[in-house]
């Protein structure tokens, strides 16, 4: 978790910065979400899809996708005065998963983006965060022209632990993405507080 400490000279609390991961399968909208909500020009590490990658990059359902993230996306958003989020978008393909352990260091929590046309693609991200006890929310990116499923339906399909939030969103829309991030911060805050109380109890 990225943060700054209290200003001991004036008694005021210094601005707080939290690290958030945006994860999910290939082509689910991670780069789009980071770019939509970021108040700074986002850092992107995208490359054109190549013929060499056709055998390992499954583009079924995302036929129009022509680029892929090969390292990470980075952006920043101020949620309210004194609270900023640093957003790290993870690469979606299995061959880049060695980066996830580095990116997850110090993260408050994660957004797992899901596409109901390829819901199985977000299972690895869900498993990753569950096994490492990193709080996360599942954000269903509602693509135009696709069938809409309710949050409970998605939660059951993913066999999520009880209480893990599932929200519907449009990764292209800044306000929608911001609401997802607020929901994550609130949920992760409750989870970290509960763990702290358990540890001292």
């Amino acid at each position: 978790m990225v943060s700054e400490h209290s200003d001991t000279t004036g008694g005021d609390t210094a601005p707080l910065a939290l690290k958030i991961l945006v994860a999910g399968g290939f082509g689910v909208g991670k780069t789009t979400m980071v770019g939509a909500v970021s108040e700074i020009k986002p850092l992107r590490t995208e490359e054109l899809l190549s013929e060499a990658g056709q055998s390992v990059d499954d583009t079924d359902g995302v036929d129009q996708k022509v680029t892929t993230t090969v390292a990470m996306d980075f952006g920043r958003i101020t949620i309210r005065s004194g609270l900023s989020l640093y957003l790290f978008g993870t690469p979606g393909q299995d061959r880049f998963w060695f980066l996830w352990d580095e990116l997850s260091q110090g993260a408050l929590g994660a957004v797992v983006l899901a596409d109901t046309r390829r819901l199985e693609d977000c299972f690895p991200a869900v498993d990753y965060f569950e096994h490492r006890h990193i709080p996360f929310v599942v954000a269903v990116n509602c693509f135009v022209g696709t069938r809409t499923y309710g949050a409970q339906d998605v939660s059951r399909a993913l066999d999520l632990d009880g209480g893990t939030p599932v929200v519907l969103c449009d990764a292209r829309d800044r306000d929608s993405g911001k609401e997802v991030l607020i929901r994550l911060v609130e949920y992760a805050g409750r989870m970290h507080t509960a763990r702290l109380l358990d540890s001292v109890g």
Side-chain angles (χ1 to χ4, degrees):
M1 185 186 319
V2 180
S3 63
E4 299 199 15
H5 302 289
S6 297
D7 180 354
T8 55
T9 57
D12 295 329
T13 301
L16 181 65
L18 304 174
K19 181 180 183 181
I20 302 294
L21 300 186
V22 180
F26 175 67
V28 78
K30 302 179 295 294
T31 297
T32 299
M33 173 175 268
V34 172
V37 302
S38 181
E39 62 199 16
I40 62 172
K41 183 177 180 180
L43 168 67
R44 292 177 172 158
T45 56
E46 288 196 301
E47 295 291 340
L48 290 173
L49 290 172
S50 65
E51 289 185 14
Q54 287 180 353
S55 61
V56 291
D57 293 331
D58 180 9
T59 58
D60 286 344
V62 287
D63 303 333
Q64 304 303 312
K65 186 170 175 62
V66 296
T67 62
T68 185
T69 299
V70 296
M72 68 172 186
D73 301 307
F74 175 78
R76 186 191 70 210
I77 179 174
T78 301
I79 296 296
R80 59 169 171 75
S81 177
L83 175 59
S84 297
L85 305 182
Y86 291 156
L87 309 176
F88 292 80
T90 65
Q93 301 98 310
D94 293 352
R95 66 183 185 276
F96 295 123
W97 268 49
F98 66 92
L99 294 169
W100 282 46
D101 288 337
E102 292 295 328
L103 291 174
S104 64
Q105 291 293 320
L108 174 76
V111 174
V112 175
L113 271 174
D115 178 351
T116 55
R117 299 170 301 180
R118 299 157 54 102
L119 199 57
E120 67 280 1
D121 288 359
C122 69
F123 273 109
V126 168
D127 290 343
Y128 182 91
F129 296 122
E130 282 185 344
H131 290 151
R132 287 160 180 79
H133 305 290
I134 297 173
F136 68 95
V137 301
V138 173
V140 179
N141 192 5
C142 298
F143 288 90
V144 176
T146 61
R147 179 179 172 185
T148 301
Y149 293 86
Q152 289 299 323
D153 294 329
V154 174
S155 181
R156 283 193 296 269
L158 294 175
D159 194 25
L160 296 176
D161 291 341
T164 301
V166 176
V167 295
L168 306 182
C169 74
D170 182 345
R172 303 166 301 175
D173 182 77
R174 186 176 194 273
D175 290 338
S176 180
K178 186 175 180 179
E179 285 301 314
V180 171
L181 295 170
I182 290 172
R183 184 78 177 271
L184 170 63
V185 170
E186 292 173 345
Y187 174 66
R190 291 194 301 270
M191 293 291 289
H192 286 293
T193 298
R195 290 170 187 170
L196 179 61
L197 292 175
D198 285 345
S199 69
V200 298

